[in-house]
Amino acid sequence: KILIIGACGQIGTELTMALRNKVGNDNVIASDIREGSRDLMESGPFEIADATSFESIENLVIQHEIDEVYLMAAMLSATAEKFPMKGWELNMGSLFHVLNLAKEKKITRIFWPSSIAVFGPSTPKIDTPQTTVMEPSTVYGISKQSGERWCEYYHQKYGVDVRSIRYPGLISYKTLPGGGTTDYAVEIYHEALKHKKYTSFLKEDTELPMMFMDDAIKATIQLMEAPSEKVKVRSSYNLAALNFTPETLAAAIREHIPEFEIDYAPDFRQAIADSWPSSIDDAQAREDWGWSHDFDLEKMTFEMLAGLKDTYQGN
Ligand code: VAH
């Protein structure tokens, strides 16, 4: 059985629904510190749990006879800059609990999300390689870089089967984003439909690696289903789909909403975005386990506007 910790988050929500569709609702136990969407709560087992408490996770694993854990709980980049110690405790504490349960053979496989935030200002920004200089300058990035090191250590030292992806900015319409720097690229679609205008907190030429959520969910499941010997990277895989700037995204939206306007008021998140790459080289993921993305900017924009249209009908 599968346990998803942080099931009510931006990725967790869609991952829970995708896995329930795949392996059956009752085989996927969703847990979070708070309740989630109606779909999520009504489609299968749900448990309130604190990801920073070893006992609460261990109890879920024993009670529900869990084999695999997807640890999706985290504090993202912008919020972690406001609460550094809380961000570190949540992101690292929860990871150690799950790694140690696997070390004790109480679970057999782990998925843990890393991020392009592990890269910093000294990292090559174009086609950032799988292995490169990484001096992250955000609390979130530091926690993800440390987490990658611990995942690789537990795999090499204790044989723990932990797998990880460095997600780019993820774009979805089924959940509201929570505290990310890339989340301008989600908000913009809501604002385009509501007000036909958006004030971006990143400058017009800020290019960042991005991905539509369907591609991220597909990659996650594909990596978890790959034969262990194909998973050669046990820190975390680079993964890429598209990269764009706020002005390019605005132009793609204007294909559907010609009168859409954007203006720019960069805030503290600009410095976070400036420390990250513009594009990622994911050749190793494509080679090791056959990754390939489906959504380009046009296709993603169509899906996002179609998915949100009903919410803002009549604007
Ligand atoms: C964030 N969406 O902005 C997350 C992600 C690469 C960005 O880690 O913090």
Side-chain angles (χ1 to χ4, degrees), residues 10 76-78 114-117 140 167-170 179-183 209 276:
Q10 185 195 20
L76 296 186
S77 60
S114 183
S115 161
I116 59 162
Y140 177 70
Y167 288 124
L170 297 183
T181 299
T182 56
D183 294 336
W276 291 347

Side-chain angles (χ1 to χ4, degrees), residues 13 105 124 162 177 191 278:
T13 300
K105 310 277 187 254
V162 52
E191 293 306 307
S278 301

Side-chain angles (χ1 to χ4, degrees), residues 54-82:
F54 181 78
E55 292 71 27
S56 71
I57 295 180
E58 186 183 39
N59 289 342
L60 290 183
V61 164
I62 294 166
Q63 189 187 337
H64 292 277
E65 298 171 328
I66 299 299
D67 310 293
E68 295 187 3
V69 172
Y70 290 71
L71 171 53
M72 308 311 287
M75 189 184 289
L76 296 186
S77 60
T79 311
E81 289 305 297
K82 296 174 188 164

Side-chain angles (χ1 to χ4, degrees), residues 140-309:
Y140 177 70
I142 293 165
S143 76
K144 290 300 181 182
Q145 183 185 38
S146 310
E148 290 188 4
R149 299 286 92 235
W150 281 109
C151 288
E152 190 180 77
Y153 182 87
Y154 268 68
H155 176 73
Q156 287 173 345
K157 194 103 175 158
Y158 309 119
V160 167
D161 187 356
V162 52
R163 304 169 184 212
S164 179
I165 284 172
R166 289 169 182 159
Y167 288 124
L170 297 183
I171 316 296
S172 65
Y173 61 84
K174 293 176 188 161
T175 50
L176 287 173
T181 299
T182 56
D183 294 336
Y184 86 88
V186 178
E187 293 169 2
I188 192 170
Y189 288 103
H190 293 261
E191 293 306 307
L193 286 166
K194 270 192 288 192
H195 306 306
K196 295 188 173 37
K197 77 180 298 299
Y198 177 62
T199 299
S200 167
F201 55 72
L202 296 184
K203 291 203 317 277
E204 64 270 26
D205 61 348
T206 308
E207 185 173 26
L208 288 170
M210 299 281 191
M211 183 179 289
F212 187 50
M213 183 62 79
D214 290 16
D215 269 336
I217 300 300
K218 181 184 94 168
T220 306
I221 294 174
Q222 196 173 356
L223 174 58
M224 284 295 272
E225 291 185 335
S228 193
E229 64 276 5
K230 288 212 183 293
V231 183
K232 298 187 175 64
V233 172
R234 293 292 178 156
S235 49
S236 188
Y237 275 97
N238 278 7
L239 205 73
L242 52 151
N243 26 276
F244 53 74
T245 62
E247 69 186 349
T248 313
L249 178 52
I253 291 173
R254 269 195 288 274
E255 293 295 302
H256 299 267
I257 306 175
E259 61 275 35
F260 174 66
E261 290 173 11
I262 185 168
D263 56 24
Y264 302 93
D267 68 12
F268 75 101
R269 289 168 285 192
Q270 184 64 47
I272 296 174
D274 289 342
S275 75
W276 291 347
S278 301
S279 61
I280 299 287
D281 173 358
D282 63 357
Q284 179 121 33
R286 291 173 191 263
E287 187 187 313
D288 287 2
W289 42 276
W291 157 246
S292 71
H293 70 281
D294 298 321
F295 290 82
D296 61 12
L297 181 55
E298 284 62 37
K299 212 171 154 199
M300 178 175 81
T301 298
F302 178 85
E303 292 296 327
M304 285 296 286
L305 293 174
L308 289 171
K309 194 164 66 297

